[in-house]
């Protein structure tokens, strides 16, 4: 296999258009179809040009490191297909996830069994490397898949994913999903020919940190909404969900040692709605759902500013010890916990300790942004103490790049949200050892409007259409910060104007896949025209799954829905156990 990135052939728009305007899907029988019915229908349908055309190996988002199509070959999933997996529990979990992804739309039983049966034909096989001999000729390619990479082979008789970790298998499965027709997103059985294009994909990420942030403080969102966001992350191989849990308008996580934070501080939100908070059980449910999808939750407790809700609950934390009024507006920078009072540091230690105990991931985010009233040495002194309190919990500190002037602490990570790529203070912190998560306000902020007439969102960092979200390089964006200091990229979604899951999805899609590609794909694959065309095929997937998205005019979306009558309705994620 070549060691160079393989060229992506130009798409053939005419061929795709022909397929899209073809006839209706074959009707299903009146009774609940069994696997046999579906296989028969699929066979009949195979000759028709369905509204769910076959996917192409080159159409995966984010673009894989290497793609080698085998144009003559397809694997067709049918009622006899089985999933085979090596014996490790984490690999079997990925196999179960795959089965739950594929069963609703195909209606096939897709039994999950151990590998190593003599005849692998007719199977989807997930192999953790080291447990079986690799497929012939694959050794070289498999040697350095790393912690998240995978190899996917589609032959006429077998689909095989090989990885060194369950995470790699999981990402192979996300790719496999995209290689099936868009109808695979249907929550109910459809008869299409479940063909996967033949060839080999060898893939691993450019950056280890690929994330999105959800602000659950300005508006509160139910656990189910957060789980749905995690699904969107996992689909595009994003591996971190940063939860902005506290702000002036609401405190969203239960803390046993300071109970009024959640019960009093959580009872408000922007616009005066009831707000809410996550119990510890709620938070653990989010964390465990994320873990199952290889997503690490990064909890943020924003300090010392953005703390009005905490001060409403505990006025003794305020500099004047007077309870402020609950805040439901959208200004920033007016509140802060008292940096001169020792009680403040007890409070921080308690809160961070409890949040750390609930959080399996290595990170604790302490905010640090827009604390306009805590200046100079008072601010840096506060941050240095807060960084030490994070270290005491055993976690690694993350903070907005305003932390930069404070002393370095082991492993610390700054999240850069600037709009001017010259930032000598941040570059200096990097020289002193900090690593960077890059979230440029004018590129990666999902709360910025797409265009003037976008009904929700901000524009303080400009308008961000899909092209603008895509056409930059996190590895070289901040002057004086070398690519080696860039941990990755994150797309924050602030929710001052976002009040529902549909709003979240509208701002996330289609920009989230653009950010995902910047985080995952080798720079050599970067190509707006190619990305735009690959992304277009995801519109029918989202429609079929009942996911809201913005029909950006820059993207050549297919003209017709994949499966008539399936837009709009929100569907449960079929992989939910
Ligand atoms: C700036 S970005 C903020 C947030 C706002 C956001 C709105 C950052 C670290 N702070 O408090 O919600 O702008 O876009």
């Amino acid at each position: 296999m070549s060691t160079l990135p393989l060229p992506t052939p130009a798409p053939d728009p005419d061929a795709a258009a022909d397929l899209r305007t073809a006839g209706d899907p074959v009707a299903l029988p009146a009774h609940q179809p069994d696997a046999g019915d579906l296989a028969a229908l699929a066979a009949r349908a195979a000759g028709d040009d369905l509204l769910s055309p076959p996917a192409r190996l080159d159409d995966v988002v984010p673009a894989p490191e290497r793609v080698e199509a085998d144009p003559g070959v397809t694997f067709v999933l049918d009622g006899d297909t089985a999933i085979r997996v090596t014996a490790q529990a984490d690999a079997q979990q990925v196999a179960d996830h795959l089965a739950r992804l594929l069963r609703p739309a195909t209606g096939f039983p897709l039994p999950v069994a151990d590998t190593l049966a003599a005849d692998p034909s007719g199977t989807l096989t997930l192999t953790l490397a080291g447990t079986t001999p690799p497929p012939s000729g694959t050794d070289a390619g498999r040697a350095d898949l790393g912690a998240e990479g995978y190899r996917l082979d589609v032959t006429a008789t077998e689909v095989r994913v090989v990885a060194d970790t369950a995470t790699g298998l999981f990402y192979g499965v996300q790719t496999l999903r995209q290689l099936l027709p868009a109808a695979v997103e249907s929550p109910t059985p459809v008869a299409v020919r479940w063909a996967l294009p033949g060839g080999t994909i060898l893939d691993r990420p450019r950056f280890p940190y690929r994330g999105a942030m959800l602000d659950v403080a300005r508006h509160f969102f139910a656990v189910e909404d957060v789980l749905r966001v995690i699904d969107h992350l996992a689909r595009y191989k994003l591996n971190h969900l940063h939860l902005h849990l506290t702000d002036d308008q609401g405190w969203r996580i239960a803390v046993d040692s300071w109970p009024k934070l959640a019960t009093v501080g959580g009872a408000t939100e922007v616009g005066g709605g009831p707000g809410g908070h996550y119990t510890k059980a709620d938070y653990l449910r989010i964390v465990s759902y994320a873990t199952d999808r290889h997503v690490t939750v990064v909890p943020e407790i924003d300090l010392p500013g953005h703390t009005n809700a905490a001060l409403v609950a505990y006025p003794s934390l305020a500099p004047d010890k007077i309870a402020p009024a609950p805040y439901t507006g959208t200004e920033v920078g007016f509140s802060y916990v008292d940096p001169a009072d020792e009680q403040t540091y007890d409070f921080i230690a308690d809160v961070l300790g409890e949040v750390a105990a609930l959080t399996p991931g290595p990170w604790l985010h302490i905010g640090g942004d827009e604390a306009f009233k805590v200046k100079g040495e008072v601010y840096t002194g506060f941050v240095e103490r807060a960084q030490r309190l994070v270290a005491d919990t055993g976690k690694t500190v993350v903070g907005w790049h305003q932390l930069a002037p404070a002393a370095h602490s082991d492993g610390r990570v700054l999240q850069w949200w600037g709009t001017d790529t010259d930032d000598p203070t941040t570059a200096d912190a990097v020289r002193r050892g900090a690593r960077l998560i890059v979230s440029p306000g004018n590129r990666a902020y999902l709360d910025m409007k797409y265009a003037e007439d976008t009904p929700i969102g901000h524009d303080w960092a400009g308008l961000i259409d899909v092209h603008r979200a895509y056409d930059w390089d996190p590895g070289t964006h901040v002057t004086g910060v070398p690519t080696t200091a860039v941990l990755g990229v994150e797309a924050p979604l602030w929710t001052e104007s976002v009040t529902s899951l549909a709003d979240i999805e509208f701002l996330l899609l289609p920009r989230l896949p653009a950010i995902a590609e910047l985080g995952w794909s080798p720079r050599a694959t970067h190509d707006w025209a190619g990305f735009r065309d690959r992304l277009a095929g995801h519109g029918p997937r989202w429609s079929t799954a009942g996911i809201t998205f913005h029909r950006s005019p820059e993207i050549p979306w297919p003209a017709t829905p994949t499966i008539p009558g399936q837009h709009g309705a929100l569907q449960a994620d079929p992989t939910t156990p």
Side-chain angles (χ1 to χ4, degrees):
M1 169 159 250
S2 127
T3 52
L4 295 171
L6 297 160
T8 306
D12 177 352
D14 290 336
D18 286 344
L19 287 167
R20 280 180 215 128
T21 50
D24 290 340
V26 174
L28 291 167
H31 62 273
Q32 181 63 29
D34 61 22
D37 288 333
L38 287 161
L41 285 167
R44 258 176 43 217
D48 300 336
D49 284 336
L50 293 172
L51 289 171
S52 198
R56 294 163 4 119
L57 205 68
D58 312 279
D59 279 351
V60 174
V61 175
E65 183 170 317
R66 278 197 262 164
V67 178
E68 201 170 318
D70 193 349
V73 169
T74 37
F75 176 88
V76 182
L77 211 74
D78 62 26
D80 295 325
T81 304
I83 297 173
R84 294 243 168 80
V85 59
T86 45
Q88 307 88 339
D90 53 354
Q92 297 200 343
Q93 219 185 354
V94 178
D96 288 336
H97 180 86
L98 174 62
R100 285 196 296 268
L101 281 175
L102 303 186
R103 281 177 190 144
T106 63
F108 299 149
L110 294 161
V112 177
D114 271 349
T115 38
L116 318 182
D119 175 14
S121 70
T123 61
L124 310 176
T125 305
L126 308 182
T127 304
L128 267 191
T131 57
T132 58
S136 56
T138 60
D139 242 354
R142 210 200 62 196
D144 51 359
L145 291 172
E148 300 185 288
Y150 65 91
R151 178 187 170 116
L152 174 75
D153 290 285
V154 179
T155 71
T157 55
E158 187 193 9
V159 176
R160 179 182 283 266
V161 183
V162 183
D164 287 342
T165 63
T167 304
L169 288 183
F170 183 81
Y171 291 140
V173 160
Q174 298 310 318
T175 294
L176 192 166
R177 179 184 189 184
Q178 288 188 27
L179 296 181
L180 283 157
V184 72
E185 301 294 335
S186 170
T188 51
V190 242
V192 302
R193 186 169 180 263
W194 297 110
L196 287 99
T200 294
I201 289 178
L202 198 54
D203 202 10
R204 63 193 163 174
R206 180 180 181 202
F207 295 109
Y209 188 109
R210 307 172 303 279
M213 188 205 80
L214 182 64
D215 169 10
V216 295
R218 268 51 178 274
H219 282 98
F220 181 64
F221 296 93
V223 171
E224 280 69 23
D225 296 344
V226 179
L227 304 190
R228 175 89 163 204
V229 169
I230 292 169
D231 290 335
H232 299 333
L233 264 56
R235 188 189 279 270
Y236 294 107
K237 304 185 176 87
L238 293 158
N239 61 358
H240 287 82
L241 173 68
H242 167 187
L243 285 177
H244 182 75
L245 288 167
T246 67
D247 213 305
D248 292 317
Q249 298 87 347
W251 184 285
R252 307 298 181 207
I253 177 87
V255 177
D256 295 339
S257 51
W258 297 73
K260 287 197 284 184
L261 289 170
T263 55
V264 175
T268 44
E269 63 183 3
V270 168
H277 70 270
Y278 304 122
T279 63
K280 289 194 165 178
D282 289 338
Y283 182 79
L284 288 172
R285 200 172 145 221
I286 292 170
V287 162
S288 127
Y289 190 92
T291 304
D292 287 350
R293 285 150 188 80
H294 300 265
V295 170
T296 301
V297 171
V298 182
E300 178 185 351
I301 305 296
D302 202 348
L303 296 163
H306 291 278
T307 40
N308 196 76
L311 305 183
V312 173
Y314 291 102
S316 61
L317 295 170
D320 57 7
K321 314 298 172 197
I322 297 171
Y327 186 67
T328 59
T330 60
E331 296 299 316
V332 297
F334 55 89
S335 62
Y336 61 105
V337 289
D338 185 358
D341 188 337
E342 277 307 303
Q343 187 201 193
T344 295
Y345 302 95
D346 295 340
F347 158 78
I348 296 171
D350 291 343
V351 169
L352 294 182
E354 289 196 35
V355 173
L358 296 172
T359 303
W363 316 110
L364 271 191
H365 198 308
I366 56 167
D369 58 315
E370 297 171 327
F372 299 143
K373 296 193 172 167
V374 187
K375 299 185 176 119
E377 285 175 7
V378 178
Y379 177 81
T380 51
F382 173 89
V383 167
E384 285 160 14
R385 282 193 74 171
Q387 289 182 164
R388 283 198 292 276
L389 292 172
V390 171
D392 290 346
T393 70
K395 304 290 185 187
T396 300
V397 69
V398 187
W400 299 106
H401 72 263
Q402 279 69 30
L403 261 53
H408 183 66
S409 73
D410 222 18
R412 83 171 175 155
V413 174
L414 303 179
Q415 183 169 9
W416 189 84
W417 59 284
T419 54
D420 177 351
T421 55
D422 286 326
D423 180 347
T425 312
T426 296
D428 180 57
V430 167
R431 271 190 294 278
R432 289 184 284 124
R435 290 168 295 168
L436 227 56
I437 295 168
V438 192
S439 302
N442 53 0
R443 297 285 187 172
Y445 264 37
L446 297 172
D447 59 317
M448 292 303 129
K449 293 173 184 252
Y450 292 96
E452 298 281 0
D453 61 355
T454 303
I456 53 173
H458 296 127
D459 60 7
W460 65 259
L463 303 171
I464 305 183
D465 60 15
V466 187
H467 190 184
R468 192 163 173 76
Y470 180 76
D471 234 353
W472 60 286
D473 180 357
T476 57
H477 193 73
V478 185
T479 308
V481 174
T483 308
T484 48
V486 175
L487 198 59
V489 59
E490 182 181 297
L493 178 56
W494 302 99
T495 60
E496 286 93 336
S497 67
V498 176
T499 59
S500 66
L501 175 64
D503 286 355
I504 292 175
E505 291 182 334
F506 173 84
L507 291 171
L508 235 60
L509 300 170
R511 289 181 294 196
L512 188 69
I515 301 297
E517 181 145 319
L518 295 180
W520 179 278
S521 305
R523 195 60 196 167
T525 65
H526 190 85
D527 168 31
W528 163 245
F531 176 71
R532 186 183 53 193
D533 290 343
R534 282 183 286 119
L535 187 61
H538 290 246
R541 289 175 193 271
W542 300 328
S543 303
T544 304
I547 299 167
T548 305
F549 67 101
H550 171 54
R551 290 195 160 267
S552 307
E554 317 151 79
I555 308 300
W557 307 108
T560 50
T562 307
I563 302 171
Q566 285 219 337
H567 336 241
L570 292 181
Q571 310 293 347
D573 168 26
T575 65
T576 304

